Structure formats: structure tokens, C-alpha cells
Amino acid sequence: MIASLSAAWRRIVALVGKEFLALLKDKKSRFVLIGPPIIQLLVFGYAATFDLNHVPYALYNEDGGAVSRQLAARFAGAPVFDLISTIRRDADIRPLIDDRQARLIVHISPQFSRDLALGKPAPVQLIVDGRNSNSALIVLNYASSIVQQFNADRLQRSGMGGPPVHLEVRAWFNPNLQSRWFLIPGIAGLITLIVTMLVTALSVAREREQGTFDQLLVTPLRPVEILLGKALPGFIIGMFEATVIIALAVFWFDIPLLGSLVTLYTGLALFLLSAIGVGLMISSLAVTQQQGFLGAFLFMVPAVILSGFATPIENMPEAVQYITLIDPLRYFVVILRDVFLEGTPFHLLIPQFWPLALIGTISLSIAGWLFRHRMY
Amino acid sequence: MNAAHLNEGGISAMRLRGLMRKEFLQILRDPSSIAIAFVLPVILLLLFGYGVSLDAKHVPIALVVDEPGAATASFTGSFRHLPYFDPLTLPDMRSAEIAMREGRVEAIVHLRTDFGRKLYQPGGTPVQIIVNGVNANTGRLILGYGSGIWINWLHQYAQINHIHLPASVQVEQRVWFNSELRSRNYLVPGLIAVIMTLIGALLTALVVAREWERGTMEALMATPVTMNEIIIGKMAPYFVLGSGGMLISVGMAVWLFDVPLRGSIWLLFGVAALFLLVALGMGLLISTLARNQFVASQIALIVTFLPAFLLSGFIFEISSMPQVVQIITHIIPARYFVALLQTLFMAGDIWSVIWPNALALAVMALIFLVLVRRISRKRLD
């Protein structure tokens, strides 16, 4: 029993060694495995943010009274907005927006000061470019909060000791509401998925294309051993890359890592298991590397979109929300964000752990079965 | 036929037809390329059209009222009738905190014990709004909506109780090109750029590398086929595939998702063809340089797909990125195509946007094709 186990172990180690040789044999392959994930995290880490800054806007103040100038000063002083021009005619609005020179026009009408003095509500018109509706929404939100702050301050100064109800706002877990804190753990998950999928999705397909898989099947290696031999390199590479990425997130981007590393790595190991399972399943269905690669792609793109990495899952229609349940990245993104930002303890993440283990077990079993049963 | 002949680069219609036929057969016999060209766009468009929305609507929030009364009821009532929130009344802050940690609510609105009393005293009473900051975007939207509700309530309250409040400035918003702020209207056109990148660059990245890997490239070189014919023979079938993908995407965008197409359709297809040339050129360049399908697929993913997704201005605003990253986006062809698509779909034929972006694409197409041609020649010598 022990002798046969150790023989099996030797066979698996030999296969893993061969897999690593195939992956790392030439300089180009070594580079594409190690360089790009790091570059990606750095570039995308900086690129991916929903926080807007330096939003170009134009001011169109037809009023000129003291109050309107105070309001205009609020916009000029906001770090989010950059004043690019002051306009004097209606006709100037359109070209500024059309050319995307200004994303926002703050238009104060001629009766503005008079209305306020009479105690009537005075409108300020905000014109935004809706071509990117998400940015438009955020710009409107920033601009409205400037106006609301202006109103609140006017109430405060009105001499009755302030409004009867005032707001105290607070953001937990991310006090400055930086979307980078939210997105970088997601990007770490995304890059880990891509690396692992590519390593595993091409591994069986390459052997099929070159005809060496049949040779592998007639060796004493049993399907389980082939499965382990094919899965382990992906696991080791995934662990290594994820560790580098997590270190970068913490030490380079200063994302707080509040939770325990044990919880994080439990999630990572289970996630790698499921990603490798899906990758090997695709790979054993594919006959050529192109099929393996494109198959991995057909899986990865929806997996990324449905993971809640950039857009919240709660906003998706119910039917789509059900589909996200089979997406391993969905669970891993939750684990990453919770462990990083909220310091969620191990037991609260068990609802995320078991689906990953289930997806991994099922997909690995299918892959192992396909090794023997899909023949050409 | 000697190498000198290969470098001449003449084109024979018969040889070209033969090559293209071979390439088409290869595409038709491999379901994966058809899937990428036609199935993936449909899946992606359906997912983005129906599945993805950045708008915050029906956000679950917890209302915690320490001491319910008429005043608190009128305040919490104003949270109930809006599409932005799905309020859930919880008995105390402890349970609200647990709900927030478990992700059942995204925000807590807390009215303290003395709300009803302090309302009538100078200094007033605070209302606490706590948002889960993990998703900063949603968090900020919730705070924005919340303070809007507060201002409105305040004015109603003042009116009913005959309290004089100074008149307030009211925001009147006008959203041009997309008045309902449907995120679909901008996601779907942007997605077309991602799809075109996929078909153009990813598929072609593999085709030349495959010939090298299998040794059929050398066999091809022993034939009278010229390098120009090989390049055109590789590009034309994928150009057709890409155009098919474009037609499907535009059709779905307009008829299924009701995205307005305000610009001219000819301009749209014109710039799409230009972009397709750039993408095909990139794919061929990667393929020729890598000569190995694994390396080619990795590079294609890294330099084409992910930048098209994250650096093109499709989801994340370019002007908000750090300066260095903004400079990098200038070499991402999808950036120009996304700007063109969003303008042509939603705003119309605005030439001041179309000219510079189309020009950038044309220059890039030229550079890539010249590079492909040069490198291919060198390798043959």
C-alpha cells in the first residue's frame, strides 16, 4: 500500500516536473507568466477608479449677484472640478459639451439672486454629458452635494441656530470612500483567475494537439495521477502569483489588510481549486490549443462581468443573479474584499468557501473523466 | 521559387483565393472561432445589456428609530417612496450593524432617542447616515440621495410648521444625449469595441503562431505564395468575421436594447472597418513575433483585451486616471474607437470628435500593417 502510494507520488512528481519544463522552457513563456500580471496590477490598479477628479466644467453665470458668486466659488474651490471656461451666451454651451471639452455646465439664471432674496427657491441648472452615464451620475452627485452643502450653510447662518435636523454622515470600512480600495482586491482576483486559467486550459489541449496525450494515457499513470500532475503546476503558479499580487496591493497600494492571512489563503486555495478544475475541464474538451484558449475565454469574460468586480451583483436582474452562483470569481471577490477591508472572521466566510469547494470538486471530476472518455 | 521572389510581394488573384479558401475552411471546421465571432458577442451584449448596471436602485438600507413617533415617521416615510432605496426597519443599532456586516444592508439611517424632542430645540437633532464604504461608488450615491431626501423633508417640515427657512438653491439637472441616464446606452456601444478587439486581435493572434508551431509556415514558404498574399489571405477572412460580429452587435444594440443611433450608419461602419484593420494588424504582429500559441495568447490577452476593457474609457473615465496611465491610454486603439462609438450612437455626427479619433485609428492601422509586413519579410530571409 505504502509502496504503491510512494510509486504514485514519484509518478506525479515526474509529471509535475515535466509540466513546469513545458511552461517555463523558453524565455518568452517565462516572461509572459511572471511579468504581465505585475504590470497589469500596477496599471489597472491606477486606472480602475470610479472616483472622478479634474472633471472639466464651464460656468455660465447670468446673474452676477453676490450669492451667485458665492455658489460659483464653491464649484471653483472643489478639488473634483476644474474650471475650463466661463461662458456668456447660450450658444457657447453646445460646442463645449459636444467636443467633450466640458463634462458639466453650471448655469445660473439671471433671476437667481432676486429669487433668493424674495424667499423663492432659485434654480441652478446643471447640464452634463450623458455619453458615459455612470460618470454623468457621479458628476451630478458631486455637483448636487456642493449645492446642498451651500444650502445647508445658508440654513446654518440664517440665525435660528441651524436647521431642526442635520445630517451626520459616516462611511464604514472605507472612510474616504476611495473606490480603489474596492476595485484593487477585485483586480487581484481577476488576474489570479486569468493566470491560472491560461496555464491549465492550454495544458491538456497542447498535448492533444501534439499527440502526446495519448502517450500519457498508455503510461502507468492513472487518470487521477494525470489530473494531479496537471493541476499542481497551476496551483503552485497561482499561489505564487497571488502572493505577489496581494503583497503589491498591501505594500504598494496601501490597501488595508484587516483580516487574517489564514482566512485569505483558505479562500485562495479553494478558488484556485475551482479555477483549475474549470480550466482542466475546458482543456480536456479542447482538441487544439486555439479551442482551449478560446474556451477559457468564453468562460472568463462572463465570469469577470458577473463576479461583481466592477458592477454590483444586486443590480443585476434576478435570473442573471442565479447564473452568478456558478461563477467562482464571485465568491473569491467577496472573500478578498471582506478579508481586506472588513477583517471578516473565518466562520462568516464559510458560505463563500463551500461553493468554491463544490465547483472545484465537480469540475475536477468531470475533467478526470474526460481524460479517458474524450478520445480522438 | 527563391526568397527574392517572396520579397517582391506581388499578388496573384488565384493564389490569394486559394489561401483565403484554406483559411475559411479552417475557421468553419473549428467551432471555437465561430463561437468567438458570433456567440461571444451575443452573450456579452445580453450580459451587459440586461445584467450589468452601475446605477444604484433599490439599495437595501436599514432604518433604525430608537423612539418611534410622529416626527420620526414623517422622516423615515420620505425614504420609503423612492426607487433608490429598499428600507428595512430594524429595532436597534446592534442588529443594524450585524445586517451591514453580513451585507444585507448597504447603509443605516439612525434616528436617536431624542429626535422628537430636540427637533423643537435650538441646535436641532442629528440624523446619522452610515454607509458601507466598501463599494465606494454606491456609498457615495447613497449619501447623495440621502442628503437630497433630507433637504426636501426639511422644507416640507418648515412649510407645515410655519418656520421660516432661507430659500434654497434647487438643482435642475439636464443630461444631454442620454436623458434617462440609462447605463445600457453607454455600455453597449463601448462593448462593441471590446467585441471587435476580441474578434480582430485574439483570433488572428493565434493563426500565424499556429502555422509556425505546426511547421506549416515553412511549407507555405516553399510555395510560390508571396508574403503580401499570406498577410492578405490571413486578414481577409477575419475581416469578414469581424464585420459579421459588428453587424450582429449593432443590430442587437439598436433593436434589442433600444440604444439610439443618432449618427450616420455609414460613418459607424467606416470607423468600425478602420478599427478592425488596427485590431487585425495587432493580432498578426503578436502572432508573427510570438510564433508560439501559448505566448501569443498570453500577449494578446494582455495587450489587447484587458486594455480594451479597462483603459479605453469604456467603464473607467480616462480623465480621472493618473497622468502616466493617461499617456498609456493613447496607445490603446480601443480608446479612440470607444470615443467614436459613444459619440456616434448617442450624440450624432460630431466632426470635431470624429476626425481626430478616426485619424488616430488610421495612423495606427498603417503602423501595424507596415510593421507586420517588415517583420514577416525579415524572418523569411
Side-chain angles (χ1 to χ4, degrees):
Chain A
M1 180 65 193
I2 291 169
S4 77
L5 264 183
S6 82
W9 178 244
R10 272 205 310 279
R11 287 196 296 269
I12 294 170
V13 170
L15 187 56
V16 170
K18 181 225 117 198
E19 288 294 318
F20 268 112
L21 272 181
L23 278 172
L24 304 174
K25 63 175 188 293
D26 61 300
K27 227 171 91 188
K28 277 186 206 161
S29 309
R30 277 198 300 274
F31 175 75
V32 295
L33 267 182
I34 295 157
I38 294 166
I39 300 169
Q40 283 172 54
L41 184 73
L42 290 179
V43 174
F44 301 149
Y46 281 113
T49 173
F50 287 123
D51 310 337
L52 299 182
N53 48 57
H54 304 296
V55 177
Y57 82 103
L59 177 71
Y60 181 21
N61 188 352
E62 291 189 276
D63 181 72
V67 192
S68 73
R69 271 181 283 132
Q70 279 167 18
L71 181 63
R74 293 291 180 105
F75 277 92
V80 183
F81 293 110
D82 281 353
L83 181 68
I84 55 133
S85 81
T86 311
I87 52 182
R88 318 221 169 280
R89 291 179 302 142
D90 278 0
D92 291 340
I93 299 176
R94 179 161 282 281
L96 281 177
I97 295 265
D98 276 357
D99 292 1
R100 295 196 149 182
Q101 284 184 46
R103 288 304 173 87
L104 168 75
I105 310 272
V106 180
H107 181 188
I108 302 173
S109 60
Q111 310 88 354
F112 183 83
S113 297
R114 206 186 55 209
D115 282 349
L116 281 180
L118 289 173
K120 283 201 291 189
V124 54
Q125 197 180 45
L126 303 175
I127 302 168
V128 293
D129 177 355
R131 267 171 279 189
N132 181 333
S133 67
N134 189 49
S135 302
L137 200 65
I138 299 170
V139 167
L140 277 176
N141 198 31
Y142 282 134
S144 320
S145 62
I146 289 179
V147 174
Q148 264 152 26
Q149 192 55 47
F150 180 77
N151 283 333
D153 292 349
R154 274 170 56 82
L155 282 178
Q156 206 80 44
R157 282 198 309 266
S158 67
M160 358 165 322
V165 174
H166 53 263
L167 283 190
E168 270 178 19
V169 295
R170 194 151 304 159
W172 281 359
F173 312 125
N174 183 1
N176 295 324
L177 287 177
Q178 296 183 50
S179 60
R180 190 161 287 151
W181 285 22
F182 170 70
L183 290 166
I184 285 182
I187 291 178
L190 183 114
I191 295 174
T192 311
L193 176 76
I194 291 174
V195 170
T196 341
M197 285 288 287
L198 279 179
V199 170
T200 49
L202 294 186
S203 71
V204 181
R206 178 168 42 222
E207 302 225 25
R208 281 247 163 83
E209 186 171 314
Q210 292 167 355
T212 52
F213 199 68
D214 292 343
Q215 291 170 17
L216 208 59
L217 286 176
V218 295
T219 60
L221 281 161
R222 280 172 298 163
V224 181
E225 293 164 14
I226 300 180
L227 192 68
L228 272 173
K230 289 278 175 196
L232 272 174
F235 192 80
I236 295 168
I237 290 173
M239 272 288 173
F240 170 74
E241 303 242 353
T243 305
V244 173
I245 290 167
I246 289 167
L248 272 177
V250 174
F251 296 111
W252 183 272
F253 286 107
D254 288 327
I255 312 289
L257 176 56
L258 300 178
S260 82
L261 282 176
V262 176
T263 318
L264 190 62
Y265 273 88
T266 309
L268 175 61
L270 289 171
F271 172 68
L272 287 175
L273 192 74
S274 60
I276 290 166
V278 176
L280 282 179
M281 197 167 81
I282 291 168
S283 197
S284 42
L285 276 170
V287 190
T288 60
Q289 288 185 71
Q290 181 185 333
Q291 286 182 7
F293 176 61
L294 299 182
F297 216 79
L298 273 176
F299 170 78
M300 262 190 299
V301 176
V304 170
I305 295 168
L306 294 178
S307 66
F309 141 70
T311 60
I313 291 177
E314 306 87 73
N315 286 4
M316 300 174 187
E318 198 133 346
V320 179
Q321 289 195 27
Y322 282 114
I323 304 175
T324 66
L325 293 178
I326 56 165
D327 178 3
L329 190 57
R330 172 209 158 117
Y331 303 102
F332 191 45
V333 166
V334 173
I335 295 170
L336 283 166
R337 278 184 190 144
D338 282 8
V339 174
F340 263 95
L341 304 179
E342 301 187 29
T344 308
F346 192 92
H347 66 272
L348 278 183
L349 285 171
I350 290 171
Q352 313 295 330
F353 290 153
W354 70 259
L356 283 177
L358 191 70
I359 295 170
T361 317
I362 293 176
S363 54
L364 280 172
S365 320
I366 296 176
W369 185 84
L370 282 170
F371 283 171
R372 281 251 171 247
H373 294 83
R374 183 167 164 94
M375 294 288 277
Y376 284 86
Chain B
M1 295 293 146
N2 54 25
H5 177 84
L6 280 172
N7 285 341
E8 272 171 29
I11 291 173
S12 132
M14 188 192 74
R15 287 197 300 258
L16 195 58
R17 222 176 22 241
L19 271 178
M20 278 166 32
R21 193 176 122 81
K22 173 226 142 210
E23 206 66 36
F24 265 119
L25 280 179
Q26 217 161 10
I27 294 173
L28 287 179
R29 284 182 190 161
D30 188 341
S32 64
S33 9
I34 300 287
I36 285 282
F38 300 113
V39 180
L40 191 66
V42 173
I43 296 178
L44 278 177
L45 282 167
L46 288 176
L47 279 181
F48 266 91
Y50 289 122
V52 171
S53 158
L54 292 156
D55 320 338
K57 271 198 189 123
H58 301 292
V59 179
I61 58 166
L63 296 176
V64 180
V65 182
D66 288 348
E67 202 176 286
T72 63
S74 98
F75 190 85
T76 56
S78 47
F79 276 86
R80 287 186 203 283
H81 308 292
L82 290 169
Y84 311 124
F85 297 121
D86 268 349
L88 176 75
T89 308
L90 291 175
D92 51 43
M93 273 308 276
R94 247 187 70 77
S95 51
E97 224 181 292
I98 293 168
M100 183 113 117
R101 280 200 180 274
E102 288 174 354
R104 282 186 287 127
V105 297
E106 289 289 321
I108 304 170
V109 178
H110 183 201
L111 306 187
R112 299 219 178 93
T113 327
D114 42 14
F115 184 89
R117 238 175 317 117
K118 274 203 173 164
L119 197 55
Y120 303 103
Q121 290 168 8
T125 173
V127 169
Q128 203 176 28
I129 301 184
I130 302 164
V131 296
N132 183 339
V134 171
N135 186 345
N137 198 27
T138 311
R140 207 175 294 115
L141 287 176
I142 295 173
L143 288 182
Y145 294 142
S147 53
I149 291 175
W150 164 69
I151 286 269
N152 281 340
W153 179 84
L154 214 54
H155 279 276
Q156 274 173 19
Y157 173 84
Q159 215 166 16
I160 294 167
N161 293 289
H162 306 289
I163 299 173
H164 174 76
L165 286 180
S168 65
V169 179
Q170 284 185 335
V171 170
E172 221 179 59
Q173 56 185 50
R174 294 262 188 293
V175 183
W176 281 13
F177 312 127
N178 185 2
S179 54
E180 300 147 73
L181 280 174
R182 284 169 75 201
S183 50
R184 204 185 266 181
N185 285 6
Y186 100 97
L187 285 175
V188 169
L191 194 60
I192 293 177
V194 176
I195 291 170
M196 291 289 100
T197 309
L198 282 181
I199 302 176
L202 274 187
L203 280 180
T204 44
L206 295 173
V207 295
V208 177
R210 184 174 53 204
E211 303 252 13
W212 281 111
E213 206 175 296
R214 289 180 180 170
T216 48
M217 197 52 144
E218 275 137 55
L220 211 56
M221 281 184 207
T223 65
V225 165
T226 64
M227 210 58 224
N228 280 347
E229 287 165 5
I230 295 183
I231 294 173
I232 297 173
K234 290 275 175 206
M235 281 182 75
Y238 290 97
F239 190 85
V240 172
L241 220 55
S243 309
M246 180 75 191
L247 272 177
I248 292 183
S249 310
V250 174
M252 280 178 75
V254 173
W255 286 304
L256 190 61
F257 297 119
D258 293 321
V259 177
L261 176 57
R262 302 207 172 97
S264 108
I265 189 141
W266 301 113
L267 257 176
L268 184 66
F269 280 105
V271 297
L274 213 51
F275 178 72
L276 208 49
L277 281 181
V278 181
L280 291 170
M282 277 207 309
L284 281 182
L285 188 65
I286 292 168
S287 203
T288 320
L289 285 175
R291 293 196 184 195
N292 164 326
Q293 292 187 72
F294 176 70
V295 176
S297 62
Q298 285 272 9
I299 297 180
L301 197 69
I302 292 152
V303 305
T304 65
F305 173 68
L306 287 173
F309 218 95
L310 299 170
L311 298 179
S312 64
F314 158 50
I315 293 186
F316 302 110
E317 197 69 46
I318 292 175
S319 61
S320 297
M321 297 175 187
Q323 205 66 43
V324 184
V325 181
Q326 285 194 35
I327 293 169
I328 297 174
T329 63
H330 282 284
I331 57 168
I332 310 292
R335 175 206 161 119
Y336 305 103
F337 194 40
V338 166
L340 284 166
L341 286 168
Q342 288 184 348
T343 298
L344 280 173
F345 267 98
M346 277 179 280
D349 297 343
I350 295 171
W351 290 99
S352 52
V353 175
I354 293 165
W355 276 123
N357 286 301
L359 193 69
L361 284 181
V363 170
M364 289 187 123
L366 203 67
I367 291 174
F368 279 122
L369 294 180
V370 168
L371 274 179
V372 168
R373 183 65 187 83
R374 287 193 61 139
I375 289 169
S376 311
R377 184 165 57 196
K378 258 188 213 149
R379 299 266 168 139
L380 281 168
D381 284 338

